[in-house]
Amino acid sequence: MKDRPPALLIVGSMAFDDLQLPTTSARNVVGGSATYSSYAASLFCPVGLVAVVGEDFPDGDLEALARRGVDLAGLERASGKTFRWAGRYDADLVSRETLDTQLNVFADFRPKLPRAFRDCPYVLLGNIHPDLQIEVLDQVREPKLVLADTMNFWIEGEPERLAALLRRIHVLVINEDEARQLSGHHNIVKAAKDILQRGPARLIVKRGEYGALLFDGESTFFAPAYPLEDVIDPTGAGDTFAGALAGYLAKHEDVSPGALRRAIMVGTAVASYCVEAIGTAKLGRLSPADITGRLQHLQSLMHVAHDEI
Ligand code: AMP
C-alpha cells in the first residue's frame, strides 16, 4: 500500500543559536528555520521534515517534534556539528546583526526525499541555501503550492541561485529589509512590483511589529501585528509565521486569495507567541484556544463602525 504523504513538506535549517538580547543572552538555543516552522505548522497538519543535524543535536528535541506529528523520515543525522548561528539584537528588538553563521553539516547536505514525501501537496522551502531549496523542489512531483523564505545572507551571497528559485515558487515570504535588498527599491510597493516580476505570483512582506503585507499584482492586503507588552526573543518569528501560514493552507487545502488572507492572520497570531519566550519554549505549549483568542483580538484591532464622516 502506498504511504499517504504528509500534507506539508518543510525544508530548512535546524540549528544551535547564540543570542545576545538587550537584557539577557542565551547560548545553544535549539532553533533554525525548519525547527520553528515545523513547530508552528504541526499545530494545523501533518508535516514531513527534510533537514540535517549533527551528532551534537539533542534527541529530546527530535522526539518533541515527532510527538507533534512531524514525520522525521527525511531528517539526516550526519557526522559533524549542527548548523550554528549567532545574532545580536538592538535595544528595540527589531534590528539585528548576524555575528556568525557556521554551516557545518549543512555544507555537504544533499537532501533526499523519502518516497512518501514526493507527493506532498504543499511545500515550504524554509530559509537555507537556495540550491538546497531547488533540490527539494526537483524531487516533489506536483505540488499545489510552493512557498519560500530566504534571508540577506543568501540574497547577497547567492543572487543567481536565488533568482532560479524565484522562477519556480508561488509565494515568497520575506521581511521588509530583504525585499528592499532583493529588489533594489526602498519603496515597498515598488519593491513588491519588481519581485512579482521575478517569478512568484504572490509576495508576503513581513514588517515585524508593524505587521505583514500581501501583494499579488492585483490587490494588497495588510495584517497588523499583535501588540505585545513583553517581547523576549524575536528569533524565529518569521519562520513561525511562515510555518503556521503554510500549515493552515495545507489543512484547509485552499490556495484562494481569501484563504491566504486568513492564513496570514493565523501566522501573525502564532508568531506572536513565539517571541514571548526564548527559542521554541512557548510554541511547544500552544493550544488551539490560545490561537483563536489572539485571532479574535487581532480582528478587533481593525474593527470600526462608521456612522458618518
Ligand atoms: P528568523 O528570526 O525567522 O529570521 O529566523 C531565525 C532562525 O534562522 C535562527 O534560528 C537561525 O538558526 C536560522 N538562520 C539564521 N541564518 C540562517 C541561514 N543563513 N540559513 C538558514 N537558517 C538561518
Side-chain angles (χ1 to χ4, degrees):
M1 204 181 78
K2 212 164 154 248
D3 288 340
R4 201 183 148 83
L8 174 66
L9 174 68
I10 294 181
V11 62
S13 56
M14 297 188 79
F16 286 123
D17 293 337
D18 293 335
L19 310 170
Q20 288 184 27
L21 298 155
T23 54
T24 181
S25 62
R27 284 184 55 78
N28 299 324
V29 178
V30 169
S33 56
T35 308
Y36 283 105
S37 296
S38 298
Y39 264 97
S42 57
L43 288 158
F44 302 95
C45 70
V47 171
L49 174 63
V50 175
V52 62
V53 295
E55 288 150 333
D56 49 359
F57 199 83
D59 284 334
D61 287 82
L62 299 180
E63 284 155 15
L65 283 170
R67 279 196 300 277
R68 301 172 65 87
V70 178
D71 185 336
L72 302 179
L75 179 80
E76 192 186 315
R77 191 184 277 277
S79 59
K81 287 186 184 164
T82 296
F83 177 94
R84 190 169 266 283
W85 177 76
R88 180 173 45 220
Y89 287 87
D90 288 349
D92 61 5
L93 274 166
V94 177
S95 336
R96 80 174 173 202
E97 182 192 353
T98 290
L99 301 175
D100 191 24
T101 302
Q102 294 175 21
L103 293 180
N104 295 333
V105 289
F106 258 107
D108 297 318
F109 179 53
R110 296 272 77 89
K112 194 162 180 314
L113 263 57
R115 190 182 295 270
F117 287 17
R118 293 173 191 239
D119 290 312
C120 284
Y122 289 77
V123 180
L124 174 58
L125 304 170
N127 175 29
I128 194 66
H129 195 299
D131 274 341
L132 297 183
Q133 295 175 309
I134 290 172
E135 276 181 46
V136 166
L137 209 45
D138 283 342
Q139 297 174 57
V140 189
R141 267 189 268 266
E142 274 178 75
K144 246 173 111 175
L145 192 74
V146 179
L147 305 103
D149 188 359
T150 192
M151 73 184 290
N152 47 7
F153 191 79
W154 308 115
I155 297 173
E156 271 161 41
E158 296 288 350
E160 280 156 26
R161 301 314 296 148
L162 189 59
L165 174 78
L166 292 183
R167 290 194 283 274
R168 298 186 51 187
I169 62 167
H170 302 114
V171 186
L172 180 67
V173 188
I174 51 177
N175 73 34
E176 194 170 28
D177 286 344
E178 290 156 356
R180 290 186 173 129
Q181 194 183 6
L182 178 61
S183 65
H185 292 287
H186 185 82
N187 178 285
I188 215 67
V189 179
K190 284 201 176 86
K193 235 180 175 171
D194 178 283
I195 292 169
L196 289 176
Q197 280 167 3
R198 298 175 188 222
R202 291 149 164 190
L203 170 72
I204 298 172
V205 179
K206 299 169 286 179
R207 305 180 68 221
E209 62 179 320
Y210 302 111
L213 285 161
L214 164 68
F215 298 92
D216 64 10
E218 280 169 20
S219 61
T220 307
F221 171 68
F222 168 70
Y226 186 87
L228 284 171
E229 195 171 341
D230 291 311
V231 176
I232 306 292
D233 172 17
T235 311
D239 309 310
T240 301
F241 172 85
L245 182 147
Y248 175 89
L249 293 173
K251 174 182 175 177
H252 295 280
E253 298 184 44
D254 189 349
V255 297
S256 65
L260 196 53
R261 289 179 177 213
R262 288 191 290 279
I264 289 174
M265 298 293 277
V266 168
T268 301
V270 179
S272 73
Y273 284 106
C274 170
V275 305
E276 288 185 309
I278 290 179
T280 56
K282 197 120 186 199
L283 278 183
R285 295 196 302 264
L286 284 190
S287 70
D290 293 326
I291 302 166
T292 320
R294 287 225 167 148
L295 259 181
Q296 281 165 353
H297 192 166
L298 268 176
Q299 274 154 357
S300 73
L301 282 178
M302 289 188 294
H303 181 77
V304 56
H306 270 308
D307 286 335
E308 56 185 81
I309 56 162

